[in-house]
Amino acid sequence: MEANGLDPRRALGQNFLLDLNLTGRIARQAMPLEGETVVEVGPGPGGLTRALLAHGAGHVIAIEKDPRCLPALQAVAQHYPGRLTVVEGDALDIDPASLCEGPYKIVANLPYNIGTQLLLNWITVEPWPPRWSSLTLMFQREVALRIVAEADDDHYGRLGVLCGWRTNAAILFDVSREAFTPPPKVTSSIVQLEPKASPLPARLLDLERVTQAAFGQRRKMLRQSLKPVGGEALLRTVGIDPQRRAETLSVAEFVDLANALGR
């Protein structure tokens, strides 16, 4: 960081992770890595990148938006000849599947300001199942709780429904703010998601419409919040009490609503 003048920038959501014990622990959560292709987003100066390569990743493709980080990453590439490819660009505009052939894993300390949108991009790809075999990602703990939340949980919302529909998701461990440079204001968590080979059948667009309407007015009864997509008539079609609220519905019930909407 000193050699390349890498002061972390808040505008880029940068909180660099330099603790070798921690980066190694994250890499081990994504194992086996031998011979695997791993896509990393926002590597910064390459702390996690080094750990992935040291733990045997066959090929790491690192997507980095900040050109100041490129010399540091190229130094890592020279130490691991042929095993690290650095792609300069915005991860929001790049489909990881376009960067490699065959299956891959995504492992990343995601920039906080785009982490949720990146996750949504990856879990809503078509066709399903995706080419990625696992996602091992760092989020603010508040976001992590939303990813794994189930019905009747205060953190349950559209993100939890979509993740619960298509993946098996779990929080692996928390990361103290002191592990970062600079320390963020919040605790972080490592979340791992694995794709379900056969999610409950539904059209993604219809499920997105139903969940957006339901959680857009989450404190209201479903008969009111779902008015834009059919209201009580839609609820009667699948036998759901119109007086219930969005946070009480299971993923399967949202899928039923989506399928009724699509008919």
Side-chain angles (χ1 to χ4, degrees), residues 215-243:
F215 289 105
Q217 302 182 72
R218 64 181 299 140
R219 296 307 172 195
K220 294 188 176 181
M221 294 180 185
L222 288 168
R223 66 186 181 192
Q224 178 66 31
S225 62
L226 290 182
K227 273 188 176 180
V229 293
E232 288 198 47
L234 179 69
L235 290 159
R236 283 197 300 270
T237 300
V238 295
I240 293 176
D241 183 350
Q243 297 189 64

Side-chain angles (χ1 to χ4, degrees), residues 42-247:
L48 180 57
T49 315
R50 289 176 171 85
L52 292 167
L53 291 163
H55 282 76
H59 186 201
V60 174
I61 302 171
I63 304 172
E64 179 54 62
K65 182 178 181 179
D66 186 354
R68 301 176 307 144
C69 296
L70 301 184
L73 293 169
Q74 290 302 337
V76 179
Q78 292 172 12
H79 191 72
Y80 293 94
R83 293 175 58 198
L84 173 61
T85 300
V86 181
V87 177
E88 183 179 3
D90 189 335
L92 288 172
D93 299 326
I94 298 173
D95 178 4
S98 69
L99 302 176
C100 57
E101 298 179 359
Y104 59 93
K105 299 180 176 185
I106 301 179
V107 185
N109 167 24
L110 294 176
Y112 282 158
N113 55 350
I114 61 170
T116 302
Q117 186 57 56
L118 284 172
L119 175 61
L120 285 169
N121 291 352
W122 297 332
I123 67 170
T124 58
V125 296
E126 299 287 4
W128 193 268
R131 289 210 350 244
W132 54 264
S133 59
S134 68
L135 307 175
T136 306
L137 308 171
M138 187 179 304
F139 296 94
Q140 297 178 45
R141 179 157 178 79
E142 180 72 18
V143 176
L145 291 171
R146 287 168 49 208
I147 291 168
V148 303
E150 299 179 347
D152 294 316
D153 185 320
D154 288 343
H155 295 92
Y156 188 55
R158 176 170 172 262
L159 186 60
V161 173
L162 293 175
C163 290
W165 172 49
R166 279 193 157 176
T167 75
N168 295 309
I171 295 176
L172 302 182
F173 58 88
D174 293 336
V175 180
S176 167
R177 52 189 299 276
E178 285 75 24
F180 299 88
T181 302
K185 296 180 180 179
V186 295
T187 297
S188 301
S189 298
I190 299 295
V191 179
Q192 191 163 68
L193 303 96
E194 297 180 348
K196 293 180 179 177
S198 301
L200 295 171
R203 213 165 68 105
L204 173 62
L205 180 61
D206 293 327
L207 187 59
E208 288 183 317
R209 288 179 63 199
V210 167
T211 53
Q212 185 174 9
F215 289 105
Q217 302 182 72
R218 64 181 299 140
R219 296 307 172 195
K220 294 188 176 181
M221 294 180 185
L222 288 168
R223 66 186 181 192
Q224 178 66 31
S225 62
L226 290 182
K227 273 188 176 180
V229 293
E232 288 198 47
L234 179 69
L235 290 159
R236 283 197 300 270
T237 300
V238 295
I240 293 176
D241 183 350
Q243 297 189 64
R244 290 174 65 186
R245 289 178 169 78
E247 65 266 23

